[in-house]
Amino acid sequence: MYLSKFTDYAFRALIYLAINRNKLYTVEEIAKELEISEHHLKKIMNKLAKTQYITSVKGRTGGLKLGLEPKDINLGDVLKNTEDNLNIAECFNKGDTCPFIEGGCKLKGIMNKSLIAFIEEFSKYTLEDIL
């Protein structure tokens, strides 16, 4: 399983905001501190702001801050909200990619169980657990 940069950067940004909770930060400041693309981080922060993980304060003195307590941010939920494609193999979303799918492919079942276990493992932890 390979996590996208989107999810990786989302985790990094949440950790950064959780560690530095006494101040509002701009996307530019966070991107510089984490050494990641500001353009990419803007998209991530926009998505996270829609989930209450972060709060965006408008205005000249505005910025971004953690929207929930770290103990209330479940890593499995963050993973599910930030990964666009959790399909391990092409056959997860296309039935005509393999001739074995029609006959009840056992490999697909194993991959699906593995994916569920992967998400469940992340879901055992909160942002607070990794600070």
Side-chain angles (χ1 to χ4, degrees):
M1 181 79 198
Y2 184 83
L3 294 179
S4 67
K5 283 185 180 180
F6 195 96
T7 298
D8 179 23
Y9 294 171
F11 281 133
R12 292 185 203 188
L14 288 171
I15 292 167
Y16 183 79
L17 291 174
I19 291 170
N20 302 286
R21 291 175 42 204
N22 297 327
K23 182 183 171 208
L24 293 172
Y25 292 90
T26 65
V27 170
E28 180 182 8
E29 291 172 317
I30 298 168
K32 184 176 180 180
E33 188 65 32
L34 299 178
E35 299 177 359
I36 59 179
S37 162
E38 183 180 337
H39 177 72
H40 200 56
L41 188 60
K42 282 181 185 178
K43 293 177 187 176
I44 294 164
M45 297 311 244
N46 184 40
K47 186 159 191 168
L48 292 176
K50 292 177 183 177
T51 63
Q52 298 180 341
Y53 296 141
I54 63 164
T55 300
S56 176
V57 178
K58 306 283 185 212
R60 199 173 67 120
T61 59
L64 303 165
K65 66 179 183 175
L66 204 62
L68 298 170
E69 290 296 315
K71 68 179 177 59
D72 296 324
I73 299 177
N74 181 277
L75 299 184
D77 291 340
V78 173
L79 174 71
K80 289 184 278 189
N81 280 310
T82 56
E83 275 298 317
D84 283 337
N85 183 3
L86 285 170
N87 295 323
I88 293 176
E90 187 179 26
C91 64
F92 268 55
N93 61 359
K94 294 180 182 177
D96 60 348
T97 58
C98 174
F100 300 114
I101 295 297
E102 298 301 319
C105 176
K106 292 179 183 176
L107 180 59
K108 185 175 178 180
I110 292 168
M111 289 188 294
N112 191 50
K113 286 179 185 177
S114 299
L115 176 60
I116 290 168
F118 182 78
I119 294 169
E120 285 176 352
E121 187 64 27
F122 266 83
S123 297
K124 292 177 184 177
Y125 303 97
T126 66
L127 184 58
E128 184 173 77
D129 294 322
I130 60 173
L131 293 180

